[in-house]
Amino acid sequence: MSSIVPGPKKKLEEDITAARAGAKPLDASDLNPSAPRPEKLTGLDDWPETLRATIEAEHTRVTALETNRRQTADRAVPALVHGLDTLLSELADHLNTTKPGLFTKPTTPEPNADIAALLGIPPEDLPTTPSRADYRTAQRTIKQLRSHLKDLETTPDHARLTRLTTFLIRLAVVMEAAPTPTTTLTPTALTRFTNNSPDPQRNATFPEKLTTWQQTRQSLTTP
């Protein structure tokens, strides 16, 4: 009995569908066999799965953009959006479980200046301990960002994707390594992002960002 082997175009469509569903993101050579294969990222083996997959998807997208392959970069967007949406969902769940109760005082610690610096929050913007209202605002912002991601998946805007991805990965890295102090600062970090406040990593290259993320995680998790 003979079997039908999908052609290259059909196989590519299946791979893109799998990437959209959260499977391993496509790299440039999957999307264009003649394209250079992105350098494999190292030092992420012990990172949380969602965070690692999101960074890998961003690497695929950025590599395509840097080699002037816009269509390839566009095809890498679904896997990236899936990862970012999952990170936002996890962030929303975390904030929901740590927000102060209706009749209780906040139990989160005072804002930490060192953690704030890692999140790009300058000393003059260091907040007070967030209230329930601050957490509600943060949840609304997360909801808006998730909606924005859907728009970016449909009509990719790579400049906006780069800014959003840089912000969310950095926040996720610090949150994963130091959840308690980061929780206190998350509402301020989200507000600064929506207000288009200056971002210290905005013009950094992907290798520079990756190095910073890795150094940040190591410094926060090393006793």
Short mmCIF file of all heavy atoms in Angstrom, two decimals, residues 90-100 106-112 115-116 119 121 127-131 134-136 138-139 142 171-190 220:
data_model
loop_
_atom_site.label_atom_id
_atom_site.label_comp_id
_atom_site.label_asym_id
_atom_site.label_seq_id
_atom_site.Cartn_x
_atom_site.Cartn_y
_atom_site.Cartn_z
N GLU A 90 0.70 33.72 32.83
CA GLU A 90 1.35 33.32 34.08
C GLU A 90 1.53 34.52 35.00
O GLU A 90 1.36 34.42 36.23
CB GLU A 90 2.70 32.68 33.77
CG GLU A 90 2.58 31.34 33.05
CD GLU A 90 3.92 30.79 32.60
OE1 GLU A 90 4.93 31.53 32.73
OE2 GLU A 90 3.98 29.64 32.12
N LEU A 91 1.86 35.67 34.43
CA LEU A 91 2.02 36.89 35.22
C LEU A 91 0.69 37.29 35.86
O LEU A 91 0.64 37.64 37.04
CB LEU A 91 2.54 38.02 34.33
CG LEU A 91 2.70 39.39 35.00
CD1 LEU A 91 3.70 39.32 36.15
CD2 LEU A 91 3.15 40.43 33.97
N ALA A 92 -0.39 37.23 35.08
CA ALA A 92 -1.71 37.58 35.61
C ALA A 92 -2.10 36.65 36.76
O ALA A 92 -2.62 37.11 37.79
CB ALA A 92 -2.75 37.51 34.49
N ASP A 93 -1.84 35.36 36.60
CA ASP A 93 -2.17 34.40 37.66
C ASP A 93 -1.37 34.70 38.92
O ASP A 93 -1.90 34.63 40.04
CB ASP A 93 -1.87 32.97 37.19
CG ASP A 93 -2.85 32.50 36.12
OD1 ASP A 93 -3.91 33.13 35.96
OD2 ASP A 93 -2.53 31.51 35.43
N HIS A 94 -0.10 35.03 38.75
CA HIS A 94 0.75 35.32 39.91
C HIS A 94 0.26 36.56 40.65
O HIS A 94 0.15 36.56 41.88
CB HIS A 94 2.20 35.51 39.47
CG HIS A 94 3.13 35.84 40.59
ND1 HIS A 94 3.58 34.90 41.49
CD2 HIS A 94 3.66 37.03 40.99
CE1 HIS A 94 4.36 35.48 42.39
NE2 HIS A 94 4.43 36.78 42.10
N LEU A 95 -0.04 37.61 39.91
CA LEU A 95 -0.51 38.84 40.55
C LEU A 95 -1.84 38.62 41.25
O LEU A 95 -2.10 39.19 42.32
CB LEU A 95 -0.65 39.96 39.51
CG LEU A 95 0.64 40.48 38.88
CD1 LEU A 95 0.32 41.59 37.88
CD2 LEU A 95 1.60 41.00 39.95
N ASN A 96 -2.67 37.79 40.67
CA ASN A 96 -3.99 37.53 41.26
C ASN A 96 -3.88 36.81 42.60
O ASN A 96 -4.71 37.01 43.49
CB ASN A 96 -4.84 36.71 40.30
CG ASN A 96 -6.30 36.69 40.69
OD1 ASN A 96 -6.89 37.74 40.95
ND2 ASN A 96 -6.89 35.51 40.74
N THR A 97 -2.85 35.99 42.74
CA THR A 97 -2.68 35.23 43.99
C THR A 97 -1.92 36.02 45.06
O THR A 97 -1.91 35.62 46.22
CB THR A 97 -1.94 33.91 43.74
OG1 THR A 97 -0.65 34.19 43.18
CG2 THR A 97 -2.73 33.03 42.78
N THR A 98 -1.28 37.11 44.67
CA THR A 98 -0.47 37.86 45.63
C THR A 98 -1.03 39.23 45.96
O THR A 98 -0.48 39.92 46.83
CB THR A 98 0.97 38.04 45.10
OG1 THR A 98 0.92 38.68 43.81
CG2 THR A 98 1.67 36.71 44.97
N LYS A 99 -2.10 39.65 45.30
CA LYS A 99 -2.65 40.98 45.58
C LYS A 99 -3.20 41.01 47.00
O LYS A 99 -3.64 39.99 47.54
CB LYS A 99 -3.75 41.32 44.58
CG LYS A 99 -5.00 40.46 44.71
CD LYS A 99 -6.03 40.84 43.67
CE LYS A 99 -7.28 39.96 43.79
NZ LYS A 99 -8.28 40.26 42.75
N PRO A 100 -3.20 42.18 47.65
CA PRO A 100 -3.72 42.28 49.01
C PRO A 100 -5.22 42.03 49.06
O PRO A 100 -5.95 42.31 48.10
CB PRO A 100 -3.38 43.72 49.41
CG PRO A 100 -3.24 44.45 48.12
CD PRO A 100 -2.68 43.45 47.14
N PRO A 106 -1.42 45.26 52.60
CA PRO A 106 -0.51 44.57 51.68
C PRO A 106 0.58 43.83 52.43
O PRO A 106 1.12 44.32 53.43
CB PRO A 106 0.08 45.73 50.85
CG PRO A 106 -0.92 46.83 50.96
CD PRO A 106 -1.50 46.71 52.34
N THR A 107 0.89 42.62 51.96
CA THR A 107 1.93 41.81 52.61
C THR A 107 3.21 41.78 51.79
O THR A 107 4.19 41.20 52.22
CB THR A 107 1.43 40.37 52.81
OG1 THR A 107 1.06 39.82 51.54
CG2 THR A 107 0.23 40.33 53.75
N THR A 108 3.18 42.38 50.61
CA THR A 108 4.39 42.41 49.79
C THR A 108 5.39 43.39 50.39
O THR A 108 5.01 44.37 51.04
CB THR A 108 4.07 42.83 48.35
OG1 THR A 108 3.29 44.03 48.38
CG2 THR A 108 3.30 41.74 47.63
N PRO A 109 6.68 43.15 50.21
CA PRO A 109 7.70 44.01 50.82
C PRO A 109 7.78 45.37 50.14
O PRO A 109 7.19 45.60 49.08
CB PRO A 109 8.98 43.22 50.60
CG PRO A 109 8.72 42.44 49.35
CD PRO A 109 7.26 42.06 49.42
N GLU A 110 8.50 46.27 50.78
CA GLU A 110 8.75 47.57 50.17
C GLU A 110 9.53 47.38 48.87
O GLU A 110 10.32 46.44 48.74
CB GLU A 110 9.55 48.45 51.14
CG GLU A 110 8.76 48.90 52.36
CD GLU A 110 7.60 49.81 51.99
OE1 GLU A 110 7.77 50.67 51.10
OE2 GLU A 110 6.51 49.64 52.57
N PRO A 111 9.34 48.26 47.90
CA PRO A 111 10.05 48.13 46.62
C PRO A 111 11.56 48.06 46.80
O PRO A 111 12.13 48.79 47.61
CB PRO A 111 9.62 49.39 45.87
CG PRO A 111 8.29 49.74 46.45
CD PRO A 111 8.38 49.37 47.90
N ASN A 112 12.17 47.18 46.05
CA ASN A 112 13.61 46.96 46.11
C ASN A 112 14.28 47.73 44.97
O ASN A 112 13.99 47.50 43.80
CB ASN A 112 13.90 45.46 46.00
CG ASN A 112 15.37 45.13 46.12
OD1 ASN A 112 16.18 45.57 45.32
ND2 ASN A 112 15.71 44.34 47.13
N ILE A 115 16.17 45.51 42.34
CA ILE A 115 15.27 44.82 41.42
C ILE A 115 14.65 45.83 40.45
O ILE A 115 14.49 45.56 39.25
CB ILE A 115 14.16 44.07 42.18
CG1 ILE A 115 14.77 43.00 43.09
CG2 ILE A 115 13.16 43.44 41.22
CD1 ILE A 115 15.47 41.89 42.36
N ALA A 116 14.32 47.00 40.96
CA ALA A 116 13.75 48.04 40.11
C ALA A 116 14.71 48.40 38.98
O ALA A 116 14.30 48.58 37.82
CB ALA A 116 13.42 49.28 40.94
N LEU A 119 14.62 46.02 36.21
CA LEU A 119 13.41 46.16 35.40
C LEU A 119 13.39 47.47 34.61
O LEU A 119 12.41 47.75 33.92
CB LEU A 119 12.17 46.08 36.30
CG LEU A 119 11.90 44.73 36.96
CD1 LEU A 119 10.75 44.84 37.95
CD2 LEU A 119 11.60 43.67 35.92
N ILE A 121 13.44 50.48 35.97
CA ILE A 121 12.73 51.53 36.71
C ILE A 121 13.75 52.40 37.42
O ILE A 121 14.48 51.93 38.30
CB ILE A 121 11.76 50.91 37.75
CG1 ILE A 121 10.75 50.00 37.05
CG2 ILE A 121 11.05 52.00 38.54
CD1 ILE A 121 9.85 49.24 38.01
N PRO A 127 8.18 53.00 43.30
CA PRO A 127 6.83 53.20 43.83
C PRO A 127 6.72 52.88 45.31
O PRO A 127 7.63 52.34 45.93
CB PRO A 127 6.01 52.20 43.01
CG PRO A 127 6.96 51.06 42.82
CD PRO A 127 8.33 51.70 42.63
N THR A 128 5.58 53.23 45.86
CA THR A 128 5.23 52.76 47.19
C THR A 128 4.66 51.36 47.04
O THR A 128 4.48 50.87 45.93
CB THR A 128 4.17 53.68 47.83
OG1 THR A 128 3.02 53.71 46.97
CG2 THR A 128 4.71 55.09 48.00
N THR A 129 4.39 50.70 48.16
CA THR A 129 3.79 49.37 48.08
C THR A 129 2.45 49.45 47.34
O THR A 129 1.60 50.26 47.69
CB THR A 129 3.57 48.79 49.49
OG1 THR A 129 4.82 48.72 50.16
CG2 THR A 129 2.95 47.40 49.41
N PRO A 130 2.25 48.65 46.29
CA PRO A 130 1.03 48.77 45.48
C PRO A 130 -0.24 48.41 46.24
O PRO A 130 -0.23 47.54 47.12
CB PRO A 130 1.28 47.81 44.32
CG PRO A 130 2.29 46.83 44.84
CD PRO A 130 3.16 47.62 45.78
N SER A 131 -1.32 49.08 45.89
CA SER A 131 -2.63 48.83 46.49
C SER A 131 -3.43 47.87 45.62
O SER A 131 -3.00 47.48 44.54
CB SER A 131 -3.39 50.15 46.62
OG SER A 131 -3.65 50.69 45.33
N ASP A 134 -3.90 49.34 42.27
CA ASP A 134 -2.73 49.19 41.40
C ASP A 134 -2.72 47.82 40.73
O ASP A 134 -2.39 47.70 39.54
CB ASP A 134 -1.44 49.38 42.20
CG ASP A 134 -1.28 50.79 42.73
OD1 ASP A 134 -1.68 51.73 42.03
OD2 ASP A 134 -0.76 50.95 43.86
N TYR A 135 -3.09 46.80 41.49
CA TYR A 135 -3.12 45.46 40.92
C TYR A 135 -4.24 45.32 39.88
O TYR A 135 -4.08 44.63 38.87
CB TYR A 135 -3.29 44.41 42.02
CG TYR A 135 -2.01 44.11 42.76
CD1 TYR A 135 -1.78 44.61 44.03
CD2 TYR A 135 -1.02 43.32 42.17
CE1 TYR A 135 -0.60 44.34 44.71
CE2 TYR A 135 0.16 43.05 42.84
CZ TYR A 135 0.37 43.56 44.11
OH TYR A 135 1.55 43.30 44.76
N ARG A 136 -5.37 45.98 40.13
CA ARG A 136 -6.45 45.94 39.14
C ARG A 136 -6.01 46.61 37.84
O ARG A 136 -6.30 46.12 36.75
CB ARG A 136 -7.71 46.62 39.70
CG ARG A 136 -8.46 45.80 40.74
CD ARG A 136 -9.86 46.35 40.95
NE ARG A 136 -9.84 47.72 41.47
CZ ARG A 136 -9.84 48.02 42.76
NH1 ARG A 136 -9.85 47.06 43.68
NH2 ARG A 136 -9.84 49.29 43.16
N ALA A 138 -2.96 46.83 36.80
CA ALA A 138 -1.98 45.93 36.19
C ALA A 138 -2.68 44.82 35.42
O ALA A 138 -2.27 44.46 34.30
CB ALA A 138 -1.06 45.34 37.26
N GLN A 139 -3.75 44.27 35.99
CA GLN A 139 -4.47 43.20 35.31
C GLN A 139 -5.13 43.71 34.02
O GLN A 139 -5.16 43.01 33.01
CB GLN A 139 -5.53 42.60 36.24
CG GLN A 139 -4.98 41.81 37.41
CD GLN A 139 -4.43 40.45 37.01
OE1 GLN A 139 -4.27 40.14 35.83
NE2 GLN A 139 -4.14 39.61 38.00
N ILE A 142 -2.42 43.95 31.43
CA ILE A 142 -2.08 42.62 30.90
C ILE A 142 -3.12 42.18 29.88
O ILE A 142 -2.78 41.64 28.81
CB ILE A 142 -1.97 41.61 32.06
CG1 ILE A 142 -0.73 41.92 32.91
CG2 ILE A 142 -1.91 40.18 31.52
CD1 ILE A 142 -0.63 41.09 34.17
N LEU A 171 10.91 41.06 32.27
CA LEU A 171 10.04 40.97 33.44
C LEU A 171 9.89 39.52 33.89
O LEU A 171 9.93 39.22 35.09
CB LEU A 171 8.67 41.57 33.12
CG LEU A 171 7.62 41.55 34.23
CD1 LEU A 171 8.12 42.26 35.48
CD2 LEU A 171 6.32 42.18 33.73
N ALA A 172 9.74 38.61 32.93
CA ALA A 172 9.58 37.20 33.27
C ALA A 172 10.84 36.62 33.90
O ALA A 172 10.77 35.81 34.83
CB ALA A 172 9.21 36.40 32.01
N VAL A 173 12.00 37.04 33.40
CA VAL A 173 13.27 36.56 33.96
C VAL A 173 13.40 36.98 35.42
O VAL A 173 13.73 36.17 36.30
CB VAL A 173 14.46 37.11 33.14
CG1 VAL A 173 15.78 36.88 33.88
CG2 VAL A 173 14.53 36.44 31.77
N VAL A 174 13.14 38.25 35.69
CA VAL A 174 13.28 38.75 37.06
C VAL A 174 12.20 38.16 37.96
O VAL A 174 12.46 37.79 39.11
CB VAL A 174 13.21 40.30 37.08
CG1 VAL A 174 13.38 40.82 38.50
CG2 VAL A 174 14.31 40.88 36.19
N MET A 175 10.98 38.02 37.43
CA MET A 175 9.89 37.44 38.23
C MET A 175 10.18 36.00 38.60
O MET A 175 9.94 35.56 39.73
CB MET A 175 8.58 37.53 37.44
CG MET A 175 7.38 36.91 38.16
SD MET A 175 6.88 37.83 39.64
CE MET A 175 5.97 39.19 38.87
N GLU A 176 10.71 35.24 37.65
CA GLU A 176 11.01 33.83 37.91
C GLU A 176 12.10 33.67 38.95
O GLU A 176 12.05 32.78 39.80
CB GLU A 176 11.42 33.15 36.60
CG GLU A 176 11.63 31.64 36.70
CD GLU A 176 13.09 31.26 36.92
OE1 GLU A 176 13.97 32.05 36.52
OE2 GLU A 176 13.35 30.18 37.49
N ALA A 177 13.09 34.56 38.92
CA ALA A 177 14.23 34.44 39.83
C ALA A 177 13.97 35.08 41.19
O ALA A 177 14.52 34.64 42.20
CB ALA A 177 15.47 35.07 39.18
N ALA A 178 13.17 36.14 41.22
CA ALA A 178 12.91 36.86 42.48
C ALA A 178 11.44 37.28 42.52
O ALA A 178 11.13 38.47 42.39
CB ALA A 178 13.83 38.06 42.60
N PRO A 179 10.52 36.33 42.68
CA PRO A 179 9.09 36.64 42.55
C PRO A 179 8.54 37.63 43.57
O PRO A 179 7.73 38.49 43.21
CB PRO A 179 8.42 35.27 42.69
CG PRO A 179 9.42 34.42 43.40
CD PRO A 179 10.76 34.90 42.95
N THR A 180 8.97 37.54 44.81
CA THR A 180 8.37 38.40 45.84
C THR A 180 8.68 39.88 45.63
O THR A 180 7.76 40.70 45.55
CB THR A 180 8.81 37.95 47.24
OG1 THR A 180 8.39 36.61 47.45
CG2 THR A 180 8.17 38.84 48.31
N PRO A 181 9.95 40.28 45.50
CA PRO A 181 10.21 41.70 45.28
C PRO A 181 9.73 42.20 43.92
O PRO A 181 9.36 43.37 43.77
CB PRO A 181 11.73 41.82 45.41
CG PRO A 181 12.25 40.45 45.14
CD PRO A 181 11.21 39.51 45.66
N THR A 182 9.71 41.31 42.92
CA THR A 182 9.29 41.73 41.59
C THR A 182 7.79 42.01 41.55
O THR A 182 7.33 42.91 40.84
CB THR A 182 9.65 40.66 40.55
OG1 THR A 182 11.04 40.36 40.65
CG2 THR A 182 9.35 41.14 39.14
N THR A 183 7.02 41.26 42.33
CA THR A 183 5.58 41.46 42.38
C THR A 183 5.24 42.90 42.77
O THR A 183 4.35 43.53 42.19
CB THR A 183 4.94 40.49 43.37
OG1 THR A 183 5.17 39.15 42.93
CG2 THR A 183 3.43 40.72 43.48
N THR A 184 5.97 43.43 43.73
CA THR A 184 5.73 44.79 44.19
C THR A 184 5.95 45.82 43.09
O THR A 184 5.28 46.85 43.04
CB THR A 184 6.67 45.11 45.38
OG1 THR A 184 6.53 44.09 46.37
CG2 THR A 184 6.35 46.46 45.99
N LEU A 185 6.87 45.52 42.19
CA LEU A 185 7.26 46.48 41.16
C LEU A 185 6.54 46.29 39.83
O LEU A 185 6.61 47.15 38.96
CB LEU A 185 8.78 46.37 40.92
CG LEU A 185 9.65 46.81 42.10
CD1 LEU A 185 11.06 46.25 41.95
CD2 LEU A 185 9.69 48.32 42.20
N THR A 186 5.84 45.18 39.68
CA THR A 186 5.21 44.87 38.39
C THR A 186 4.20 45.93 37.95
O THR A 186 4.20 46.33 36.77
CB THR A 186 4.55 43.48 38.43
OG1 THR A 186 5.58 42.50 38.61
CG2 THR A 186 3.81 43.19 37.14
N PRO A 187 3.30 46.41 38.83
CA PRO A 187 2.37 47.46 38.37
C PRO A 187 3.08 48.69 37.81
O PRO A 187 2.66 49.24 36.79
CB PRO A 187 1.57 47.79 39.65
CG PRO A 187 1.60 46.52 40.44
CD PRO A 187 2.98 45.97 40.21
N THR A 188 4.16 49.10 38.46
CA THR A 188 4.92 50.26 37.96
C THR A 188 5.59 49.94 36.63
O THR A 188 5.59 50.77 35.71
CB THR A 188 5.98 50.68 38.99
OG1 THR A 188 5.33 51.08 40.19
CG2 THR A 188 6.82 51.84 38.47
N ALA A 189 6.15 48.75 36.52
CA ALA A 189 6.81 48.36 35.27
C ALA A 189 5.81 48.37 34.11
O ALA A 189 6.12 48.85 33.01
CB ALA A 189 7.44 46.98 35.42
N LEU A 190 4.62 47.85 34.34
CA LEU A 190 3.59 47.83 33.30
C LEU A 190 3.14 49.24 32.93
O LEU A 190 2.93 49.55 31.75
CB LEU A 190 2.39 47.00 33.77
CG LEU A 190 2.62 45.48 33.83
CD1 LEU A 190 1.49 44.81 34.60
CD2 LEU A 190 2.72 44.89 32.43
N LEU A 220 20.52 36.70 40.48
CA LEU A 220 19.39 36.60 41.40
C LEU A 220 19.22 35.20 41.99
O LEU A 220 18.57 35.05 43.03
CB LEU A 220 18.10 37.02 40.69
CG LEU A 220 17.99 38.50 40.30
CD1 LEU A 220 16.72 38.73 39.49
CD2 LEU A 220 18.00 39.39 41.54
#
